[in-house]
Amino acid sequence: YNEIPPEESTEYTGSVDWDAEWKKVVASEGKIGEGRERPGKDYYKSEAEIAAIKAANSATEKFNEAGSKVQNVLPDVRSLSGDW
C-alpha cells in the first residue's frame, strides 16, 4: 500500500510532429481542399446551406438594427391619447 509509482515523463516521444500537424489545420481554417469531401456530408450541412444560414443571420441582424432605429424615431402613441 505504500508503493508510490515512479514519476513518468510527460514529454511526447512519438514520431508525429504535432506542432506541424496543428499548423496545417490552422492554415486550412476549416476549408475543404480540392477533390476532397467533407466528412459526414450526408449528416452535416453542405457549404451552400452554411452560406445560406450565415446570410440569413446577417439579414436578420440588419433587420433588427433597422427596426430598433425606427422605434426610436416614432413618436410615443400615448402622447396622442388626448387628441380624439
Side-chain angles (χ1 to χ4, degrees):
Y1 293 104
N2 291 334
E3 293 182 27
I4 299 174
E7 289 186 27
E8 296 180 18
S9 173
T10 57
E11 188 72 26
Y12 178 71
T13 58
S15 62
V16 177
D17 181 6
W18 290 110
D19 289 330
E21 293 296 321
W22 182 247
K23 286 179 184 177
K24 290 179 197 175
V25 170
V26 172
S28 69
E29 295 182 13
K31 297 176 183 168
I32 301 169
E34 290 184 34
R36 295 178 59 195
E37 292 183 358
R38 291 179 63 212
K41 66 177 184 170
D42 296 330
Y43 180 72
Y44 298 105
K45 292 175 176 43
S46 69
E47 296 295 328
E49 288 174 312
I50 292 170
I53 290 170
K54 286 181 180 179
N57 289 343
S58 175
T60 301
E61 184 177 318
K62 289 179 183 179
F63 178 78
N64 289 338
E65 287 175 7
S68 67
K69 289 178 185 176
V70 169
Q71 287 178 348
N72 293 338
V73 174
L74 293 176
D76 186 11
V77 176
R78 286 177 273 167
S79 67
L80 305 173
S81 64
D83 290 349
W84 29 57

